[in-house]
Amino acid sequence: KQEVTQIPAALSVPEGENLVLNCSFTDSAIYNLQWFRQDPGKGLTSLLLIQSSQREQTSGRLNASLDKSSGRSTLYIAASQPGDSATYLCAVRPLGGGSYIPTFGRGTSLIVHP
Amino acid sequence: DTGVSQDPRHKITKRGQNVTFRCDPISEHNRLYWYRQTLGQGPEFLTYFQNEAQLEKSRLLSDRFSAERPKGSFSTLEIQRTEQGDSAMYLCASSDRYEQYFGPGTRLTVT
């Protein structure tokens, strides 16, 4: 059974810092990995999707990398802003077995203070 | 707006009552998922549809929960005889071949 862990659980940084959020998974047989952002009381917003054949994806100030062999993905946020404050979740979709059900981590709660 | 929509956004009900939630996916997506999320946790899978067929259902899902997706378009999730432990955010997502897109969720409070 796939297990997804996100470290740290919470992070508080001053505005302008570059930061790294971590996502680790136990089964490397994955189809893709998706990073989401969730604001309090809201649904999830997709940030980046990395297919299993890819090493990284970039969107604006966000960069996500994937290392299947070590079971890790990182989300890099450059020049953090107060508007980046949210919970960040990663989800891993399995490869094969006919299942399309992703497994989610618990998320990293990020606060960027001015 | 062509995103995923959910209705209602909030629902307060008394223990023992039945509730039904609706999800309208992105129109060209044939895959639809229901999740439940409680505070501090990631979304927990409930059930999955491909078109109108319910292909997977969580083993943790009580038989008080039922979902339908008639004609492969919108979906409904019904909870019968609600319990206080059912209080949570219920999330719907639709998917193309690769990426999931979530709706805003329905917040259920059982008193």
Side-chain angles (χ1 to χ4, degrees):
Chain A
K1 178 189 172 187
Q2 179 75 271
E3 293 183 4
V4 178
T5 304
Q6 291 189 245
I7 294 173
L11 188 60
S12 181
V13 300
E15 181 177 7
E17 275 203 7
N18 302 324
L19 48 99
V20 175
L21 308 181
N22 296 293
C23 171
S24 61
F25 46 95
T26 54
D27 186 346
S28 61
I30 68 169
Y31 186 74
N32 62 32
L33 185 147
Q34 195 168 356
W35 280 94
F36 296 89
R37 167 189 174 133
Q38 187 173 31
D39 293 289
K42 308 290 186 184
L44 281 67
T45 300
S46 179
L47 297 174
L48 290 165
L49 175 74
I50 310 178
Q51 299 294 349
S52 62
S53 59
Q54 298 174 322
R55 297 283 294 184
E56 65 179 314
Q57 284 287 329
T58 298
S59 176
R61 295 182 294 109
L62 304 179
N63 176 275
S65 66
L66 175 64
D67 183 346
K68 279 196 310 178
S69 61
S70 66
R72 292 181 59 187
S73 176
T74 60
L75 179 66
Y76 176 82
I77 303 176
S80 58
Q81 303 171 358
D84 295 330
S85 299
T87 296
Y88 291 80
L89 298 111
C90 66
V92 175
R93 186 175 147 190
L95 178 68
S99 176
Y100 296 91
I101 310 307
T103 301
F104 284 81
R106 291 188 175 185
T108 293
S109 177
L110 172 66
I111 296 175
V112 181
H113 48 88
Chain B
D1 183 11
T2 57
V4 179
S5 61
Q6 292 187 244
D7 185 72
R9 296 291 304 277
H10 303 275
K11 178 71 176 178
I12 299 174
T13 191
K14 293 184 178 181
R15 186 164 54 101
Q17 297 295 305
N18 299 342
V19 295
T20 299
F21 308 142
R22 175 177 172 128
C23 171
D24 286 89
I26 294 171
S27 58
E28 59 266 31
H29 288 178
N30 62 359
R31 295 173 184 159
L32 187 147
Y33 305 75
W34 284 99
Y35 296 89
R36 174 172 61 191
Q37 186 180 30
T38 53
L39 195 63
Q41 303 293 318
E44 174 192 19
F45 168 73
L46 295 178
T47 191
Y48 158 68
F49 290 85
Q50 185 160 329
N51 299 312
E52 67 275 8
Q54 187 175 20
L55 296 185
E56 292 195 52
K57 187 174 176 180
S58 171
R59 289 189 293 273
L60 302 175
L61 199 61
S62 160
D63 58 7
R64 296 184 296 107
F65 288 69
S66 62
E68 295 182 339
R69 193 183 181 195
K71 302 179 183 178
S73 55
F74 71 92
S75 176
T76 58
L77 177 69
E78 181 183 16
I79 309 174
Q80 296 182 328
R81 305 181 303 281
T82 52
E83 302 172 355
Q84 287 189 321
D86 297 331
S87 295
M89 175 76 89
Y90 289 83
L91 296 166
C92 174
S94 70
S95 173
D96 58 12
R97 186 175 175 183
Y98 302 110
E99 192 168 356
Q100 284 203 326
Y101 298 86
F102 279 78
T106 295
R107 169 72 64 188
L108 172 66
T109 301
V110 181
T111 61

